[in-house]
Amino acid sequence: MTATTAENTGGNTQQPAPAGGHPQRWIILGVICLAQLTVLLDNTVLNVAIPSLTRELHASTSDIQWVISAYSLVQSGLLLTAGSTADRYGRKKMLAAGLVLFGVGSLVAGLADSTAQLIAARAGMGVGGALLMTTTLAVVVQIFDDTERVKAIGLWATVNSLGFAVGPLLGGVMLDHFWWGAIFLINIPVAVIGLIAVLTLVPESKNPQGDRPDLLGAVLSTIGMTGVVYAIINGPDQGWTSGTTLTSAAIGIVFLAAFVGWELRIPYPMLDMHFFRNQKFTGAVAGAILVAFGMGGSLFLLTQHLQFVLGYGPLEAGLRTAPLALTIVALNLTGVGAKFLAKVGTPVTIAAGMSCLAAGLAAIAVLGGDSYGGMLAGLVVMGVGIAFAMPAMANAIMSAIPPAKAGVGAGVNGTLAEFGNGLGVAVLGAVLNARFAALVAVSAASLPAALAAADSAGEKARIADAFSSGLETSQLVGAVAVLVGGLLAAALLRRAERAESAGATAPGAFPTSPEQP
């Protein structure tokens, strides 16, 4: 049996699923979405807890960014290896292992008593998160056929939005009644339920002839991304031309370059760089990073806007971010996004979705500075854009990679999402800090500390206005980046589709089996 045949039939001793997909595919989809929700709840709950962590752990803005980014960076570096490992040793096994590791990491994080311990625990949780994020999408691709896959991926993507909706609300309730550590401990029962369901219902699937894990590639990519993002986060505080910032950026660039070189020369790369010759893959990659950039960065800014500028409490802030996620959930559960994609095609869907996401960010920046009314309109428009763009790009990425590499394809998609999210927090947070520091001369590392050090009501008002101005600038920068990147991604995808329809072989066309060209 060839590797391709093995993969298409589950790659193990189980009988191939009947035409139309696995007979229990919708129940299995629900199970793996529950597992994925465990990861997503943690990230969104954490955003609502930013002010609490700032006060109770005396955390600076950079500390908070590292609490968020440590998880994303570790996960991003391990996703490709986790996907390859799941293909080789079994996706069910890796999904169960991810739930166990994530639950243990949540326990450690919930009991941490310093930012250093919390950052370390979050990095550890990233290992479990990497296993979860790769295996969930890989299983979806394996159990659904072409006729239902887009709809299934849309529902899978909807869980991301459900996490955005439920997370802030759950976080607000928890912070109103318990200490901040409870936001991590709440992950444990969800992980236990998910683990029982996975072991009971999810079928094992693997490709026994899959590639070996690329451990050196994982190390190089993790160090490279950490160096670059560290420079971005610390640039405003230490200076963009300081030795620390430049050294960190240089280390990141060198290690990322070494990662690319290593992947090009080994027979079993974690990420086959020849994929980037395919315009469909490249366009989907660009769009996926920027959607995650816009979502991660905007949520990081929104929670601070609602609590620090508009004066809402954690629960009130969580309730007011819900329209973004609820719009996405409503559109995907009703199948509007999948129908729109089927009618107009991937390029138009992505262009429309990214334009709406950018318009929503801009609306929040311009109209939401003084009241929630203007922000509400922007949140709804952002939700429409994400509902259209996210499933379309996930499907484009998965369809551009050979089926035998479903785990690796899921790793690529997850890596882009996590890297984009971490980059959004780092870049837009850096813009906020730089703008804030340029408008007011304060030595404090966060807004609450700056307000506490102010000598008069007038000075406090100037500091608050400067912070609000920094938020507006950051959101506008994010809107421009998302719009330009989205239009570029759509253009690349349109060009690739035209080449395919003309019967031409796209550059870097992939083989039909997992062996390297």
Side-chain angles (χ1 to χ4, degrees), residues 232 286-301 354 357 361 416-429 431 474-482:
I232 294 172
I289 290 176
L290 286 161
V291 165
F293 178 96
M295 288 182 65
S298 64
L299 190 62
F300 174 73
L301 299 175
M354 299 289 275
L357 177 55
L361 280 169
L416 298 174
E418 289 303 319
F419 181 64
N421 180 74
L423 198 61
V425 171
V427 172
L428 298 188
V431 172
S474 300
Q475 289 159 342
L476 290 175
V477 168
V480 172
V482 167

PDB file of all heavy atoms in Angstrom, residues 232 286-301 354 357 361 416-429 431 474-482:
ATOM      1  N   ILE A 232      10.737  43.352  19.334  1.00  0.00           N
ATOM      2  CA  ILE A 232       9.566  44.207  19.104  1.00  0.00           C
ATOM      3  C   ILE A 232       8.939  44.642  20.434  1.00  0.00           C
ATOM      4  O   ILE A 232       8.546  45.797  20.619  1.00  0.00           O
ATOM      5  CB  ILE A 232       8.531  43.469  18.229  1.00  0.00           C
ATOM      6  CG1 ILE A 232       9.098  43.244  16.824  1.00  0.00           C
ATOM      7  CG2 ILE A 232       7.233  44.264  18.149  1.00  0.00           C
ATOM      8  CD1 ILE A 232       8.235  42.362  15.956  1.00  0.00           C
ATOM      9  N   ALA A 286      -0.281  34.378   3.691  1.00  0.00           N
ATOM     10  CA  ALA A 286      -0.296  35.815   3.968  1.00  0.00           C
ATOM     11  C   ALA A 286      -1.589  36.229   4.655  1.00  0.00           C
ATOM     12  O   ALA A 286      -1.591  36.973   5.642  1.00  0.00           O
ATOM     13  CB  ALA A 286      -0.101  36.599   2.672  1.00  0.00           C
ATOM     14  N   GLY A 287      -2.694  35.743   4.143  1.00  0.00           N
ATOM     15  CA  GLY A 287      -3.977  36.106   4.738  1.00  0.00           C
ATOM     16  C   GLY A 287      -4.154  35.560   6.137  1.00  0.00           C
ATOM     17  O   GLY A 287      -4.660  36.253   7.029  1.00  0.00           O
ATOM     18  N   ALA A 288      -3.734  34.301   6.367  1.00  0.00           N
ATOM     19  CA  ALA A 288      -3.910  33.689   7.686  1.00  0.00           C
ATOM     20  C   ALA A 288      -3.131  34.438   8.753  1.00  0.00           C
ATOM     21  O   ALA A 288      -3.623  34.665   9.863  1.00  0.00           O
ATOM     22  CB  ALA A 288      -3.476  32.222   7.636  1.00  0.00           C
ATOM     23  N   ILE A 289      -1.905  34.832   8.437  1.00  0.00           N
ATOM     24  CA  ILE A 289      -1.103  35.576   9.406  1.00  0.00           C
ATOM     25  C   ILE A 289      -1.773  36.891   9.768  1.00  0.00           C
ATOM     26  O   ILE A 289      -1.834  37.284  10.942  1.00  0.00           O
ATOM     27  CB  ILE A 289       0.313  35.827   8.853  1.00  0.00           C
ATOM     28  CG1 ILE A 289       1.105  34.528   8.787  1.00  0.00           C
ATOM     29  CG2 ILE A 289       1.061  36.840   9.726  1.00  0.00           C
ATOM     30  CD1 ILE A 289       2.468  34.669   8.161  1.00  0.00           C
ATOM     31  N   LEU A 290      -2.319  37.585   8.764  1.00  0.00           N
ATOM     32  CA  LEU A 290      -2.859  38.914   9.010  1.00  0.00           C
ATOM     33  C   LEU A 290      -4.222  38.883   9.685  1.00  0.00           C
ATOM     34  O   LEU A 290      -4.548  39.794  10.446  1.00  0.00           O
ATOM     35  CB  LEU A 290      -2.909  39.701   7.694  1.00  0.00           C
ATOM     36  CG  LEU A 290      -1.510  40.155   7.262  1.00  0.00           C
ATOM     37  CD1 LEU A 290      -1.485  40.513   5.796  1.00  0.00           C
ATOM     38  CD2 LEU A 290      -1.056  41.335   8.096  1.00  0.00           C
ATOM     39  N   VAL A 291      -5.024  37.849   9.424  1.00  0.00           N
ATOM     40  CA  VAL A 291      -6.269  37.712  10.183  1.00  0.00           C
ATOM     41  C   VAL A 291      -5.950  37.492  11.661  1.00  0.00           C
ATOM     42  O   VAL A 291      -6.538  38.116  12.546  1.00  0.00           O
ATOM     43  CB  VAL A 291      -7.125  36.552   9.639  1.00  0.00           C
ATOM     44  CG1 VAL A 291      -8.218  36.188  10.636  1.00  0.00           C
ATOM     45  CG2 VAL A 291      -7.784  36.949   8.326  1.00  0.00           C
ATOM     46  N   ALA A 292      -4.983  36.591  11.929  1.00  0.00           N
ATOM     47  CA  ALA A 292      -4.585  36.356  13.319  1.00  0.00           C
ATOM     48  C   ALA A 292      -3.947  37.603  13.918  1.00  0.00           C
ATOM     49  O   ALA A 292      -4.159  37.915  15.095  1.00  0.00           O
ATOM     50  CB  ALA A 292      -3.608  35.180  13.381  1.00  0.00           C
ATOM     51  N   PHE A 293      -3.157  38.320  13.122  1.00  0.00           N
ATOM     52  CA  PHE A 293      -2.546  39.580  13.563  1.00  0.00           C
ATOM     53  C   PHE A 293      -3.632  40.553  14.007  1.00  0.00           C
ATOM     54  O   PHE A 293      -3.555  41.148  15.092  1.00  0.00           O
ATOM     55  CB  PHE A 293      -1.738  40.157  12.403  1.00  0.00           C
ATOM     56  CG  PHE A 293      -1.078  41.488  12.689  1.00  0.00           C
ATOM     57  CD1 PHE A 293       0.245  41.545  13.093  1.00  0.00           C
ATOM     58  CD2 PHE A 293      -1.768  42.684  12.533  1.00  0.00           C
ATOM     59  CE1 PHE A 293       0.866  42.762  13.341  1.00  0.00           C
ATOM     60  CE2 PHE A 293      -1.169  43.900  12.775  1.00  0.00           C
ATOM     61  CZ  PHE A 293       0.159  43.943  13.182  1.00  0.00           C
ATOM     62  N   GLY A 294      -4.655  40.728  13.171  1.00  0.00           N
ATOM     63  CA  GLY A 294      -5.733  41.661  13.499  1.00  0.00           C
ATOM     64  C   GLY A 294      -6.538  41.230  14.700  1.00  0.00           C
ATOM     65  O   GLY A 294      -6.859  42.038  15.574  1.00  0.00           O
ATOM     66  N   MET A 295      -6.847  39.921  14.801  1.00  0.00           N
ATOM     67  CA  MET A 295      -7.654  39.427  15.915  1.00  0.00           C
ATOM     68  C   MET A 295      -6.885  39.487  17.234  1.00  0.00           C
ATOM     69  O   MET A 295      -7.389  39.980  18.241  1.00  0.00           O
ATOM     70  CB  MET A 295      -8.108  37.996  15.642  1.00  0.00           C
ATOM     71  CG  MET A 295      -9.174  37.861  14.569  1.00  0.00           C
ATOM     72  SD  MET A 295      -9.691  36.145  14.354  1.00  0.00           S
ATOM     73  CE  MET A 295     -10.436  35.821  15.944  1.00  0.00           C
ATOM     74  N   GLY A 296      -5.649  38.953  17.229  1.00  0.00           N
ATOM     75  CA  GLY A 296      -4.875  38.927  18.463  1.00  0.00           C
ATOM     76  C   GLY A 296      -4.526  40.312  18.958  1.00  0.00           C
ATOM     77  O   GLY A 296      -4.700  40.637  20.138  1.00  0.00           O
ATOM     78  N   GLY A 297      -4.045  41.164  18.051  1.00  0.00           N
ATOM     79  CA  GLY A 297      -3.671  42.516  18.446  1.00  0.00           C
ATOM     80  C   GLY A 297      -4.859  43.354  18.879  1.00  0.00           C
ATOM     81  O   GLY A 297      -4.790  44.091  19.869  1.00  0.00           O
ATOM     82  N   SER A 298      -5.975  43.221  18.158  1.00  0.00           N
ATOM     83  CA  SER A 298      -7.142  44.040  18.494  1.00  0.00           C
ATOM     84  C   SER A 298      -7.745  43.642  19.828  1.00  0.00           C
ATOM     85  O   SER A 298      -8.167  44.495  20.607  1.00  0.00           O
ATOM     86  CB  SER A 298      -8.198  43.945  17.387  1.00  0.00           C
ATOM     87  OG  SER A 298      -8.694  42.622  17.269  1.00  0.00           O
ATOM     88  N   LEU A 299      -7.797  42.333  20.132  1.00  0.00           N
ATOM     89  CA  LEU A 299      -8.355  41.913  21.417  1.00  0.00           C
ATOM     90  C   LEU A 299      -7.465  42.375  22.564  1.00  0.00           C
ATOM     91  O   LEU A 299      -7.955  42.780  23.620  1.00  0.00           O
ATOM     92  CB  LEU A 299      -8.518  40.391  21.450  1.00  0.00           C
ATOM     93  CG  LEU A 299      -9.317  39.853  22.643  1.00  0.00           C
ATOM     94  CD1 LEU A 299     -10.743  40.379  22.632  1.00  0.00           C
ATOM     95  CD2 LEU A 299      -9.314  38.330  22.659  1.00  0.00           C
ATOM     96  N   PHE A 300      -6.149  42.314  22.360  1.00  0.00           N
ATOM     97  CA  PHE A 300      -5.200  42.816  23.358  1.00  0.00           C
ATOM     98  C   PHE A 300      -5.454  44.293  23.656  1.00  0.00           C
ATOM     99  O   PHE A 300      -5.418  44.736  24.808  1.00  0.00           O
ATOM    100  CB  PHE A 300      -3.776  42.606  22.833  1.00  0.00           C
ATOM    101  CG  PHE A 300      -2.704  43.202  23.709  1.00  0.00           C
ATOM    102  CD1 PHE A 300      -2.368  42.615  24.915  1.00  0.00           C
ATOM    103  CD2 PHE A 300      -2.018  44.335  23.309  1.00  0.00           C
ATOM    104  CE1 PHE A 300      -1.366  43.151  25.719  1.00  0.00           C
ATOM    105  CE2 PHE A 300      -1.019  44.884  24.104  1.00  0.00           C
ATOM    106  CZ  PHE A 300      -0.690  44.290  25.316  1.00  0.00           C
ATOM    107  N   LEU A 301      -5.751  45.075  22.609  1.00  0.00           N
ATOM    108  CA  LEU A 301      -6.007  46.500  22.789  1.00  0.00           C
ATOM    109  C   LEU A 301      -7.412  46.768  23.317  1.00  0.00           C
ATOM    110  O   LEU A 301      -7.616  47.665  24.137  1.00  0.00           O
ATOM    111  CB  LEU A 301      -5.815  47.228  21.455  1.00  0.00           C
ATOM    112  CG  LEU A 301      -4.411  47.157  20.837  1.00  0.00           C
ATOM    113  CD1 LEU A 301      -4.409  47.812  19.460  1.00  0.00           C
ATOM    114  CD2 LEU A 301      -3.380  47.802  21.732  1.00  0.00           C
ATOM    115  N   MET A 354     -11.300  40.276   4.638  1.00  0.00           N
ATOM    116  CA  MET A 354     -10.209  41.098   5.170  1.00  0.00           C
ATOM    117  C   MET A 354     -10.555  42.582   5.117  1.00  0.00           C
ATOM    118  O   MET A 354     -10.146  43.353   5.993  1.00  0.00           O
ATOM    119  CB  MET A 354      -8.934  40.826   4.381  1.00  0.00           C
ATOM    120  CG  MET A 354      -8.456  39.380   4.460  1.00  0.00           C
ATOM    121  SD  MET A 354      -7.798  38.947   6.079  1.00  0.00           S
ATOM    122  CE  MET A 354      -6.111  39.514   5.894  1.00  0.00           C
ATOM    123  N   LEU A 357     -12.721  43.202   8.093  1.00  0.00           N
ATOM    124  CA  LEU A 357     -11.923  43.192   9.315  1.00  0.00           C
ATOM    125  C   LEU A 357     -11.178  44.514   9.487  1.00  0.00           C
ATOM    126  O   LEU A 357     -11.158  45.101  10.579  1.00  0.00           O
ATOM    127  CB  LEU A 357     -10.939  42.022   9.274  1.00  0.00           C
ATOM    128  CG  LEU A 357      -9.957  41.889  10.438  1.00  0.00           C
ATOM    129  CD1 LEU A 357     -10.678  41.832  11.781  1.00  0.00           C
ATOM    130  CD2 LEU A 357      -9.078  40.653  10.257  1.00  0.00           C
ATOM    131  N   LEU A 361     -11.738  47.452  12.456  1.00  0.00           N
ATOM    132  CA  LEU A 361     -10.662  48.001  13.290  1.00  0.00           C
ATOM    133  C   LEU A 361     -10.604  49.523  13.193  1.00  0.00           C
ATOM    134  O   LEU A 361     -10.438  50.226  14.204  1.00  0.00           O
ATOM    135  CB  LEU A 361      -9.322  47.412  12.852  1.00  0.00           C
ATOM    136  CG  LEU A 361      -8.973  46.012  13.363  1.00  0.00           C
ATOM    137  CD1 LEU A 361      -7.755  45.467  12.626  1.00  0.00           C
ATOM    138  CD2 LEU A 361      -8.720  46.030  14.858  1.00  0.00           C
ATOM    139  N   LEU A 416       0.780  29.629  11.695  1.00  0.00           N
ATOM    140  CA  LEU A 416       0.463  30.958  11.169  1.00  0.00           C
ATOM    141  C   LEU A 416      -0.459  31.711  12.113  1.00  0.00           C
ATOM    142  O   LEU A 416      -0.275  32.903  12.374  1.00  0.00           O
ATOM    143  CB  LEU A 416      -0.187  30.827   9.788  1.00  0.00           C
ATOM    144  CG  LEU A 416       0.671  30.179   8.697  1.00  0.00           C
ATOM    145  CD1 LEU A 416      -0.156  29.993   7.431  1.00  0.00           C
ATOM    146  CD2 LEU A 416       1.917  30.992   8.417  1.00  0.00           C
ATOM    147  N   ALA A 417      -1.471  31.000  12.632  1.00  0.00           N
ATOM    148  CA  ALA A 417      -2.416  31.648  13.539  1.00  0.00           C
ATOM    149  C   ALA A 417      -1.736  32.105  14.823  1.00  0.00           C
ATOM    150  O   ALA A 417      -1.929  33.242  15.273  1.00  0.00           O
ATOM    151  CB  ALA A 417      -3.570  30.693  13.854  1.00  0.00           C
ATOM    152  N   GLU A 418      -0.932  31.223  15.413  1.00  0.00           N
ATOM    153  CA  GLU A 418      -0.273  31.579  16.669  1.00  0.00           C
ATOM    154  C   GLU A 418       0.803  32.644  16.465  1.00  0.00           C
ATOM    155  O   GLU A 418       0.952  33.556  17.270  1.00  0.00           O
ATOM    156  CB  GLU A 418       0.335  30.332  17.312  1.00  0.00           C
ATOM    157  CG  GLU A 418      -0.688  29.370  17.874  1.00  0.00           C
ATOM    158  CD  GLU A 418      -1.590  30.031  18.898  1.00  0.00           C
ATOM    159  OE1 GLU A 418      -1.100  30.831  19.720  1.00  0.00           O
ATOM    160  OE2 GLU A 418      -2.801  29.771  18.874  1.00  0.00           O
ATOM    161  N   PHE A 419       1.568  32.507  15.381  1.00  0.00           N
ATOM    162  CA  PHE A 419       2.589  33.511  15.117  1.00  0.00           C
ATOM    163  C   PHE A 419       1.940  34.861  14.833  1.00  0.00           C
ATOM    164  O   PHE A 419       2.392  35.902  15.316  1.00  0.00           O
ATOM    165  CB  PHE A 419       3.453  33.080  13.933  1.00  0.00           C
ATOM    166  CG  PHE A 419       4.541  34.068  13.614  1.00  0.00           C
ATOM    167  CD1 PHE A 419       5.551  34.327  14.523  1.00  0.00           C
ATOM    168  CD2 PHE A 419       4.559  34.744  12.410  1.00  0.00           C
ATOM    169  CE1 PHE A 419       6.562  35.238  14.241  1.00  0.00           C
ATOM    170  CE2 PHE A 419       5.560  35.643  12.115  1.00  0.00           C
ATOM    171  CZ  PHE A 419       6.567  35.897  13.023  1.00  0.00           C
ATOM    172  N   GLY A 420       0.850  34.857  14.037  1.00  0.00           N
ATOM    173  CA  GLY A 420       0.146  36.109  13.762  1.00  0.00           C
ATOM    174  C   GLY A 420      -0.425  36.725  15.015  1.00  0.00           C
ATOM    175  O   GLY A 420      -0.356  37.943  15.207  1.00  0.00           O
ATOM    176  N   ASN A 421      -0.974  35.891  15.905  1.00  0.00           N
ATOM    177  CA  ASN A 421      -1.528  36.400  17.160  1.00  0.00           C
ATOM    178  C   ASN A 421      -0.435  37.024  18.025  1.00  0.00           C
ATOM    179  O   ASN A 421      -0.586  38.140  18.544  1.00  0.00           O
ATOM    180  CB  ASN A 421      -2.205  35.264  17.920  1.00  0.00           C
ATOM    181  CG  ASN A 421      -2.803  35.710  19.230  1.00  0.00           C
ATOM    182  OD1 ASN A 421      -3.840  36.370  19.264  1.00  0.00           O
ATOM    183  ND2 ASN A 421      -2.154  35.355  20.319  1.00  0.00           N
ATOM    184  N   GLY A 422       0.681  36.288  18.191  1.00  0.00           N
ATOM    185  CA  GLY A 422       1.788  36.832  18.980  1.00  0.00           C
ATOM    186  C   GLY A 422       2.378  38.082  18.367  1.00  0.00           C
ATOM    187  O   GLY A 422       2.721  39.042  19.059  1.00  0.00           O
ATOM    188  N   LEU A 423       2.479  38.096  17.033  1.00  0.00           N
ATOM    189  CA  LEU A 423       3.009  39.260  16.343  1.00  0.00           C
ATOM    190  C   LEU A 423       2.067  40.453  16.484  1.00  0.00           C
ATOM    191  O   LEU A 423       2.507  41.598  16.636  1.00  0.00           O
ATOM    192  CB  LEU A 423       3.229  38.931  14.866  1.00  0.00           C
ATOM    193  CG  LEU A 423       4.161  39.846  14.080  1.00  0.00           C
ATOM    194  CD1 LEU A 423       5.560  39.817  14.673  1.00  0.00           C
ATOM    195  CD2 LEU A 423       4.187  39.444  12.611  1.00  0.00           C
ATOM    196  N   GLY A 424       0.752  40.190  16.437  1.00  0.00           N
ATOM    197  CA  GLY A 424      -0.215  41.275  16.602  1.00  0.00           C
ATOM    198  C   GLY A 424      -0.105  41.915  17.976  1.00  0.00           C
ATOM    199  O   GLY A 424      -0.106  43.146  18.105  1.00  0.00           O
ATOM    200  N   VAL A 425       0.004  41.077  19.025  1.00  0.00           N
ATOM    201  CA  VAL A 425       0.168  41.604  20.381  1.00  0.00           C
ATOM    202  C   VAL A 425       1.467  42.398  20.487  1.00  0.00           C
ATOM    203  O   VAL A 425       1.509  43.494  21.065  1.00  0.00           O
ATOM    204  CB  VAL A 425       0.153  40.455  21.403  1.00  0.00           C
ATOM    205  CG1 VAL A 425       0.533  40.954  22.791  1.00  0.00           C
ATOM    206  CG2 VAL A 425      -1.224  39.794  21.439  1.00  0.00           C
ATOM    207  N   ALA A 426       2.546  41.841  19.906  1.00  0.00           N
ATOM    208  CA  ALA A 426       3.851  42.497  20.025  1.00  0.00           C
ATOM    209  C   ALA A 426       3.905  43.810  19.253  1.00  0.00           C
ATOM    210  O   ALA A 426       4.306  44.846  19.783  1.00  0.00           O
ATOM    211  CB  ALA A 426       4.948  41.555  19.531  1.00  0.00           C
ATOM    212  N   VAL A 427       3.492  43.776  17.981  1.00  0.00           N
ATOM    213  CA  VAL A 427       3.609  44.966  17.131  1.00  0.00           C
ATOM    214  C   VAL A 427       2.648  46.062  17.577  1.00  0.00           C
ATOM    215  O   VAL A 427       3.047  47.221  17.781  1.00  0.00           O
ATOM    216  CB  VAL A 427       3.371  44.603  15.656  1.00  0.00           C
ATOM    217  CG1 VAL A 427       3.302  45.863  14.797  1.00  0.00           C
ATOM    218  CG2 VAL A 427       4.484  43.703  15.146  1.00  0.00           C
ATOM    219  N   LEU A 428       1.371  45.727  17.728  1.00  0.00           N
ATOM    220  CA  LEU A 428       0.402  46.764  18.112  1.00  0.00           C
ATOM    221  C   LEU A 428       0.647  47.222  19.551  1.00  0.00           C
ATOM    222  O   LEU A 428       0.435  48.400  19.871  1.00  0.00           O
ATOM    223  CB  LEU A 428      -1.023  46.245  17.933  1.00  0.00           C
ATOM    224  CG  LEU A 428      -1.399  45.872  16.495  1.00  0.00           C
ATOM    225  CD1 LEU A 428      -2.889  45.557  16.388  1.00  0.00           C
ATOM    226  CD2 LEU A 428      -1.025  46.971  15.509  1.00  0.00           C
ATOM    227  N   GLY A 429       1.110  46.310  20.407  1.00  0.00           N
ATOM    228  CA  GLY A 429       1.485  46.733  21.758  1.00  0.00           C
ATOM    229  C   GLY A 429       2.679  47.668  21.733  1.00  0.00           C
ATOM    230  O   GLY A 429       2.737  48.642  22.499  1.00  0.00           O
ATOM    231  N   VAL A 431       3.493  49.686  19.215  1.00  0.00           N
ATOM    232  CA  VAL A 431       3.008  50.970  18.693  1.00  0.00           C
ATOM    233  C   VAL A 431       2.308  51.760  19.796  1.00  0.00           C
ATOM    234  O   VAL A 431       2.502  52.977  19.945  1.00  0.00           O
ATOM    235  CB  VAL A 431       2.059  50.746  17.502  1.00  0.00           C
ATOM    236  CG1 VAL A 431       1.405  52.059  17.073  1.00  0.00           C
ATOM    237  CG2 VAL A 431       2.811  50.134  16.326  1.00  0.00           C
ATOM    238  N   SER A 474      -2.590  52.522  17.293  1.00  0.00           N
ATOM    239  CA  SER A 474      -2.326  51.089  17.145  1.00  0.00           C
ATOM    240  C   SER A 474      -3.401  50.415  16.308  1.00  0.00           C
ATOM    241  O   SER A 474      -3.107  49.580  15.439  1.00  0.00           O
ATOM    242  CB  SER A 474      -2.254  50.425  18.516  1.00  0.00           C
ATOM    243  OG  SER A 474      -1.227  50.983  19.293  1.00  0.00           O
ATOM    244  N   GLN A 475      -4.653  50.743  16.575  1.00  0.00           N
ATOM    245  CA  GLN A 475      -5.746  50.121  15.837  1.00  0.00           C
ATOM    246  C   GLN A 475      -5.732  50.515  14.365  1.00  0.00           C
ATOM    247  O   GLN A 475      -6.012  49.687  13.476  1.00  0.00           O
ATOM    248  CB  GLN A 475      -7.082  50.484  16.495  1.00  0.00           C
ATOM    249  CG  GLN A 475      -7.272  49.786  17.840  1.00  0.00           C
ATOM    250  CD  GLN A 475      -8.286  50.471  18.741  1.00  0.00           C
ATOM    251  OE1 GLN A 475      -8.631  51.641  18.550  1.00  0.00           O
ATOM    252  NE2 GLN A 475      -8.754  49.759  19.751  1.00  0.00           N
ATOM    253  N   LEU A 476      -5.385  51.743  14.069  1.00  0.00           N
ATOM    254  CA  LEU A 476      -5.308  52.171  12.670  1.00  0.00           C
ATOM    255  C   LEU A 476      -4.150  51.479  11.952  1.00  0.00           C
ATOM    256  O   LEU A 476      -4.282  51.110  10.768  1.00  0.00           O
ATOM    257  CB  LEU A 476      -5.159  53.693  12.594  1.00  0.00           C
ATOM    258  CG  LEU A 476      -6.390  54.503  12.996  1.00  0.00           C
ATOM    259  CD1 LEU A 476      -6.077  55.998  13.002  1.00  0.00           C
ATOM    260  CD2 LEU A 476      -7.556  54.215  12.032  1.00  0.00           C
ATOM    261  N   VAL A 477      -3.031  51.309  12.631  1.00  0.00           N
ATOM    262  CA  VAL A 477      -1.911  50.571  12.035  1.00  0.00           C
ATOM    263  C   VAL A 477      -2.342  49.137  11.715  1.00  0.00           C
ATOM    264  O   VAL A 477      -2.049  48.607  10.630  1.00  0.00           O
ATOM    265  CB  VAL A 477      -0.699  50.569  12.987  1.00  0.00           C
ATOM    266  CG1 VAL A 477       0.365  49.572  12.519  1.00  0.00           C
ATOM    267  CG2 VAL A 477      -0.096  51.963  13.071  1.00  0.00           C
ATOM    268  N   GLY A 478      -3.039  48.509  12.632  1.00  0.00           N
ATOM    269  CA  GLY A 478      -3.534  47.156  12.389  1.00  0.00           C
ATOM    270  C   GLY A 478      -4.506  47.098  11.225  1.00  0.00           C
ATOM    271  O   GLY A 478      -4.468  46.164  10.414  1.00  0.00           O
ATOM    272  N   ALA A 479      -5.380  48.093  11.104  1.00  0.00           N
ATOM    273  CA  ALA A 479      -6.353  48.118  10.009  1.00  0.00           C
ATOM    274  C   ALA A 479      -5.658  48.202   8.648  1.00  0.00           C
ATOM    275  O   ALA A 479      -6.020  47.488   7.701  1.00  0.00           O
ATOM    276  CB  ALA A 479      -7.307  49.298  10.190  1.00  0.00           C
ATOM    277  N   VAL A 480      -4.662  49.060   8.541  1.00  0.00           N
ATOM    278  CA  VAL A 480      -3.936  49.211   7.275  1.00  0.00           C
ATOM    279  C   VAL A 480      -3.211  47.912   6.914  1.00  0.00           C
ATOM    280  O   VAL A 480      -3.244  47.463   5.757  1.00  0.00           O
ATOM    281  CB  VAL A 480      -2.941  50.385   7.362  1.00  0.00           C
ATOM    282  CG1 VAL A 480      -2.042  50.419   6.130  1.00  0.00           C
ATOM    283  CG2 VAL A 480      -3.691  51.705   7.499  1.00  0.00           C
ATOM    284  N   ALA A 481      -2.560  47.297   7.892  1.00  0.00           N
ATOM    285  CA  ALA A 481      -1.826  46.056   7.633  1.00  0.00           C
ATOM    286  C   ALA A 481      -2.761  44.946   7.155  1.00  0.00           C
ATOM    287  O   ALA A 481      -2.443  44.212   6.211  1.00  0.00           O
ATOM    288  CB  ALA A 481      -1.079  45.621   8.892  1.00  0.00           C
ATOM    289  N   VAL A 482      -3.902  44.818   7.806  1.00  0.00           N
ATOM    290  CA  VAL A 482      -4.862  43.776   7.435  1.00  0.00           C
ATOM    291  C   VAL A 482      -5.425  44.023   6.039  1.00  0.00           C
ATOM    292  O   VAL A 482      -5.549  43.095   5.229  1.00  0.00           O
ATOM    293  CB  VAL A 482      -5.995  43.705   8.481  1.00  0.00           C
ATOM    294  CG1 VAL A 482      -7.157  42.864   7.972  1.00  0.00           C
ATOM    295  CG2 VAL A 482      -5.464  43.137   9.791  1.00  0.00           C
TER     296      VAL A 482
END
